Each structure stands twice: as C-alpha cells, then as structure tokens.
C-alpha cells in the first residue's frame, strides 16, 4: 500500500524539471510502420504528424492536443494511437499484438475510450476514470491495453487547459516509488491504488510549491516525470 502521508523525497524535489521540460518530452515514432499496421487491420487511419512519412518526434504537448479535441469515437482512436505511439517509442514492442486485439474488439474499444474520456472531461475521481478501462483486479478491459497504457490515455485525455490530475503509472514509476510503496505489483494495480498514487503525486506537487515559496507552479506530472527517470 502506498504511504499517502509520505513527505516529498529530497531527490525528487531537486530534480523537478518545470512545465516546459515535461511538455517538450518527445519520443521518436516510425510513421510508416504505424500506417502499414493500421491499414492492414482495417483500423481508422492516423491523422496529424503521424500521417506523414519516415520518423517523426511526438511530444507530450502534441498528444495533449488530441486530448483537447471534441470527444468522438474517431478522435478517441487518434488519442489512443498517439498516447500509445508516444509510450512505445520507435521500437514499438508488441505493436502487432496490440493492434490485433484492438481490431478484434474495435467497437467495444471505441465505446470504452469515449466513456473514459468523458469521465476525465467530467472531472470524476481517479478511481472512477481508471475503472472505466481497468477491472477491479487491475486487468485492462481492452485486451493488450493494461494499466500502463490505460493511464497514458487518461493522462493525455485531460488536454492542454488544466494541470493533470490523472497521471501515468507504469512498471518503472511503480518501482521507483519503492521508498513509499514497498513491493509494488509490477504490471497491475487496483483502482484504489491508482487513486492513491495520483493523490500522493498531487500532494508532493503542492509540497514542492510551498518549498519554492510560490515562485512557480509545480504540475503533478513533474512528479511522474522525475519518478520515471529516477535512479
């Protein structure tokens, strides 16, 4: 269980990068590979930068732009593609298995993605929005899209306008929380665990602002960013 009362660790405070560094965090993506994989499976095709050729870079700010769009099934697939492409990077491990599963459950996946996005837009609790895409036992409701990618979709679904409340949780972040979360599960997290993680990150962002005497705002995803890079 995550210790919700743990103070902000000194090394995380010292490493806080600022909003610009988080938003410009970019990953190389092979556009041609993605386009071929989607076309072969009859899935909706890419829009935006990934509809081009060769290798391009996709930043967090780019993906947040899709999260600010109107909530429709078509836009939900674009948001999923971009959050997945950003998360997988140029090597895109197990991309074919993931897209096979998406194609096999396309209608249901579209419904779940729209429902989750709407829950995010409505400002529902972290536990509730997580529960749309993830079961009470921490399994993804869309096959091959477990918590690590569900939370990326939820994170980017918040769009560009407000500081994020729902944060990315993956194996690396969970491992690097070991000082306040002993022996965390490696691949699946219950909805209440995700909510506790988001609350702790939000609390640490507030503690950081207090220690900075209000010199600047600290976004909760700065905490996630430094947790992912923590050594």
């Amino acid at each position: 269980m995550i210790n919700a009362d743990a103070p902000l660790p000194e090394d995380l405070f010292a490493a806080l990068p600022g909003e610009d560094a988080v938003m410009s965090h970019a990953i190389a993506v092979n556009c041609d590979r993605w386009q071929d994989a989607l076309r072969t499976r009859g899935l909706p095709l890419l829009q935006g930068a990934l509809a081009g050729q060769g290798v391009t870079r996709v930043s967090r700010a780019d993906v947040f732009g899709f999260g600010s769009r109107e909530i429709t099934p078509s836009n939900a697939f674009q948001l999923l593609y971009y959050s997945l492409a950003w998360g997988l990077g140029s090597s895109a491990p197990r991309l074919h298995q993931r897209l096979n599963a998406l194609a096999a459950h396309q209608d249901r996946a579209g419904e779940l993605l729209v429902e989750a996005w709407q829950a995010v837009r409505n400002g529902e609790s972290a536990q509730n929005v997580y529960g749309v895409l993830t079961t009470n036992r921490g399994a993804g409701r869309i096959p091959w899209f477990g918590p690590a990618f569900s939370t990326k979709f939820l994170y980017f679904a918040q769009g560009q306008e407000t500081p994020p409340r729902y944060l990315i949780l993956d194996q690396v972040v969970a491992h690097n929380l070991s000082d306040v979360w002993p022996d965390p599960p490696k691949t699946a997290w219950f909805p209440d665990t995700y909510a506790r993680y988001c609350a702790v990150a939000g609390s640490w962002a507030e503690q950081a602002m207090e220690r900075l005497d209000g010199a600047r705002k600290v976004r909760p995803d700065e905490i996630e960013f430094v947790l992912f890079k923590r050594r």
Side-chain angles (χ1 to χ4, degrees):
M1 181 67 72
I2 301 173
N3 179 5
D5 298 321
L8 171 64
E10 289 295 331
D11 66 310
L12 297 189
F13 178 69
L16 290 172
E19 179 178 355
D20 289 346
V22 173
M23 295 296 279
S24 63
H25 179 201
I27 303 297
V29 179
N30 186 319
C31 302
D32 299 322
R33 182 180 181 188
W34 267 88
Q35 291 170 33
D36 290 344
L38 293 173
R39 188 178 299 108
T40 298
R41 290 161 178 81
L43 286 163
L45 299 180
L46 284 157
Q47 301 171 10
L50 293 183
Q53 296 179 333
V55 175
T56 190
R57 295 186 68 81
V58 175
S59 70
R60 293 197 189 209
D62 295 331
V63 189
F64 273 126
F66 284 89
S68 296
R69 290 185 171 191
E70 179 186 2
I71 299 176
T72 66
S74 175
N75 285 341
F77 274 99
Q78 296 301 315
L79 178 57
L80 177 66
Y81 294 158
Y82 272 80
S83 60
L84 183 61
W86 178 87
L88 290 174
S90 58
S91 61
R94 300 184 178 88
L95 177 63
H96 294 300
Q97 292 94 324
R98 299 179 199 281
L99 295 184
N100 284 344
L102 190 62
H105 302 86
Q106 184 173 340
D107 291 343
R108 179 56 177 157
E111 293 171 358
L112 287 169
L113 294 172
V114 166
E115 182 182 350
W117 195 357
Q118 189 63 63
V120 167
R121 190 72 58 87
N122 292 343
E124 295 184 25
S125 70
Q127 184 167 337
N128 285 351
V129 298
Y130 181 84
V132 176
L133 295 178
T134 312
T135 70
N136 289 337
R137 304 300 299 174
R141 297 187 186 277
I142 303 172
W144 280 89
F145 291 88
F149 287 104
S150 295
T151 59
K152 288 179 177 65
F153 180 87
L154 299 175
Y155 168 68
F156 288 117
Q158 294 168 102
Q160 300 168 317
E161 286 73 28
T162 59
R165 297 173 52 202
Y166 320 111
L167 303 173
I168 297 169
L169 178 59
D170 59 20
Q171 182 177 345
V172 175
V173 171
H175 174 78
N176 288 340
L177 272 168
S178 59
D179 49 349
V180 298
W181 189 9
D183 300 318
K186 293 183 177 180
T187 57
W189 305 280
F190 296 168
D192 62 335
T193 301
Y194 177 69
R196 186 176 289 262
Y197 156 69
C198 291
V200 167
S203 172
W204 286 352
E206 291 176 0
Q207 291 176 44
M209 282 190 287
E210 291 174 2
R211 293 176 61 174
L212 292 168
D213 294 324
R216 70 171 182 87
K217 293 182 179 180
V218 177
R219 291 165 55 104
D221 54 355
E222 289 185 54
I223 302 296
E224 171 263 311
F225 183 92
V226 295
L227 279 169
F228 185 79
K229 294 179 175 295
R230 194 182 199 186
R231 295 294 182 265

